[in-house]
Amino acid sequence: MARRTRTRFWDPSGHRYGIPTYPRKKIPPHLRTLRQLAAEGLRPGGQGPQAQVLWCSRLPGPPRVRTAYLYDVRFALPKRAPSPRATLSKASVSRRTCSECLTDVGYVLPRHLGVCLDCAEEAAA
């Protein structure tokens, strides 16, 4: 017996939902989500969503319709390289430097502790 195709979210003209809408696994090959673009090293490049995917959520609770916006890969641009200043700005380094041991711990310090996890553990003992 052949499976029935879900047509509830099939609206490629955008008549019902205002934007072209597809069910999962029926998306045209030139459309990608933001995560798919990022995985390919691309960004939307100023284009708005070209279409959307709708599906029913299986999370506990009341049934919800989930949405993911789709962007055309043909108009996508390569990701920008981060500037050296943005990679190690003073603010990020100061939030990662422990005030007690004065080392860059490689993660942002918890505000409720104010020091790195090692120093907080030593102080608690």
Side-chain angles (χ1 to χ4, degrees):
M1 180 178 198
R3 291 184 82 175
R4 193 177 133 245
T5 306
R6 298 276 311 205
T7 58
R8 176 179 172 191
F9 301 129
W10 180 257
D11 182 25
S13 65
H15 231 301
R16 188 179 334 157
Y17 296 104
I19 184 172
T21 304
Y22 301 96
R24 286 180 20 186
K25 300 184 181 181
K26 299 286 184 183
I27 303 166
H30 66 280
L31 296 175
R32 308 271 196 285
T33 64
L34 279 176
R35 286 188 180 194
Q36 290 170 332
L37 285 176
E40 295 176 15
L42 299 171
R43 61 186 169 96
Q47 66 174 313
Q50 303 296 314
Q52 65 183 352
V53 177
L54 296 178
W55 71 96
C56 291
S57 172
R58 293 186 176 183
L59 295 174
R64 298 183 317 174
V65 175
R66 306 281 308 262
T67 304
Y69 293 112
L70 300 171
Y71 301 88
D72 198 329
V73 74
R74 297 173 293 191
F75 303 123
L77 300 175
K79 278 187 173 180
R80 295 182 184 136
S83 67
R85 186 174 185 184
T87 56
L88 280 178
S89 67
K90 286 183 181 178
S92 67
V93 171
S94 67
R95 292 183 299 167
R96 298 184 332 187
T97 304
C98 178
S99 59
E100 289 199 19
C101 61
L102 301 175
T103 58
D104 182 358
V105 292
Y107 55 88
V108 177
L109 299 173
R111 293 182 74 187
H112 69 282
L113 296 175
V115 293
C116 68
L117 298 176
D118 294 332
C119 291
E121 190 176 292
E122 288 176 14

